Amino acid sequence: MKAVVLDADDHYRVAELDEPAPGPGQVAIRVAYAGIQWGDTMVRDGHLAVPRPFVPGFEASGHIVAVGAGIDARRVGEAVTALTTSGAYAEVVLAPATLTFGIGSMPLRTAAGLGWGAPTAYDLINTAANVRPGESVLIHAAAGSVGTLAAQFARLAGAGRIVGVVSTADRADYAAQFGYDQLLLREEFPAQLGEEKPDVILDPVGGSTRTAGLDQLAAHGRLVAYGNLATYEPVLANANDLLMHGKSLLTYNSNLLSQTHPERLADSACRALDLVADGKVRMDITTEYTLGDLATAVQRLAEGTTHGKSILRVA
């Protein structure tokens, strides 16, 4: 089978490899499309240690072609979307059956866009932050795949006001179609908020942005940290100060959740999938690449020049 391999010199190449066979609890999927996500930049740049050569790719859509021990053989032929630990940038990938979801009549191209971003966005709003009706929500990286989904999930949860923060005016124009009440440029946060105090802040940025967010939170507000786009330097928070103002600093790690409580992640993924299938949430795929274009796709994501969701066409 054809697959993209990341070599020890950080270069991607298309290679011929043997097709993998599913083990217990796994399914093999003939991949139609694979989603491109921030984890790809982390692997490339060495922030996630993996042995090289490595076949990257963490989310895929396609059809199940084989199942391992303990999995119902009737799943063979099923159209699915799946969360994987690696290998999605290949013609066949293995995935845990628990994190492989039937998509019914949803197009495979759309399903590939769900990936890790859809359950992450769903959980950020409904589980980690527990957004209540009428609360205000501020979302950093508002034009990205998680941000655009989170804004829609927040509206469904009854948020009274949703503010997005983006890096450029072009990204603000793009994000505006997802229901934000206001969009700020990164350099305008938090000054342009004035006296406004969000009840919830979703922060994948880190660094000074996280510190400013904690200062800006309303009493009883929750800041959910779920990434470090800007810096991996630690952010220190005084628990006594948080306690006095009723503020909470929370974290969300979908990769860890997939290892410790995969059934919880699966439940959120199914809920998000159903909302997309019902037309209540829109999955916007903005760019489609081929296997040979993966290096370009990951570089554009790392540079912040993409918006929405990018996918790789495999089949």
Side-chain angles (χ1 to χ4, degrees):
M1 68 172 185
K2 287 186 173 60
V4 178
V5 174
L6 179 62
D7 282 328
D9 59 1
D10 297 332
H11 289 138
Y12 296 101
R13 60 182 174 85
V14 178
E16 285 286 341
L17 302 178
D18 293 334
E19 290 189 7
Q26 291 183 319
V27 298
I29 301 166
R30 189 160 300 280
V31 180
Y33 296 93
I36 299 167
Q37 53 124 300
W38 191 253
D40 292 307
T41 72
M42 297 174 70
V43 167
R44 184 198 66 174
D45 296 341
H47 296 302
L48 291 178
V50 297
R52 308 286 184 91
F54 176 75
V55 180
F58 303 103
E59 45 196 58
S61 69
H63 291 88
I64 294 176
V65 292
V67 299
I71 307 303
D72 191 341
R74 289 175 294 183
R75 294 201 71 179
V76 172
E78 183 181 7
V80 297
T81 184
L83 307 181
T84 72
T85 56
S86 65
Y89 299 140
E91 291 181 318
V92 176
V93 66
L94 301 182
T98 305
L99 298 177
T100 300
F101 315 104
I103 60 172
S105 61
M106 180 182 290
L108 290 169
R109 188 177 187 275
T110 301
L114 295 169
W116 292 84
T120 293
Y122 183 90
D123 273 343
L124 288 172
I125 295 298
N126 296 288
T127 304
N130 190 23
V131 173
R132 303 175 180 91
E135 288 190 317
S136 58
V137 179
L138 184 141
I139 300 172
H140 288 284
S145 59
V146 173
T148 54
L149 288 169
Q152 297 175 77
F153 290 136
R155 191 66 73 192
L156 289 173
R161 177 168 165 79
I162 305 172
V163 176
V165 181
V166 295
S167 57
T168 66
D170 286 346
R171 293 174 73 80
D173 289 342
Y174 173 76
Q177 63 186 297
F178 295 96
Y180 289 100
D181 296 298
Q182 183 182 5
L183 285 152
L184 305 176
L185 296 181
R186 187 177 299 160
E187 60 266 24
E188 296 175 327
F189 173 81
Q192 287 299 314
L193 288 175
E195 296 302 312
E196 182 178 350
K197 303 291 186 181
D199 296 300
V200 169
I201 296 177
L202 305 185
D203 175 21
V205 180
S208 60
T209 295
R210 189 158 298 160
T211 301
L214 287 171
D215 290 339
Q216 196 72 21
L217 270 180
H220 311 295
R222 290 87 70 200
L223 185 150
V224 186
Y226 69 100
N228 295 284
L229 297 176
T231 174
Y232 285 84
E233 291 299 313
V235 171
L236 302 181
N238 187 313
N240 290 332
D241 288 346
L242 294 176
L243 176 62
M244 289 301 296
H245 295 93
K247 299 179 181 182
S248 296
L249 171 59
L250 307 166
T251 64
Y252 180 79
N253 184 331
S254 58
N255 180 56
L256 179 62
L257 188 61
S258 73
Q259 301 169 46
T260 57
H261 297 285
E263 71 285 351
R264 295 185 193 173
L265 184 63
D267 180 69
S268 296
C270 288
R271 292 175 185 271
L273 191 156
D274 287 345
L275 289 170
V276 173
D278 291 344
K280 296 178 180 178
V281 169
R282 181 164 67 92
M283 167 58 61
D284 194 36
I285 295 171
T286 55
T287 313
E288 182 178 311
Y289 298 93
T290 64
L291 285 175
D293 296 327
L294 182 59
T296 298
V298 174
Q299 182 61 25
R300 287 176 178 170
L301 182 61
E303 292 172 348
T305 57
T306 63
H307 49 259
K309 183 68 174 181
S310 299
I311 61 172
L312 198 73
R313 185 175 70 254
V314 179

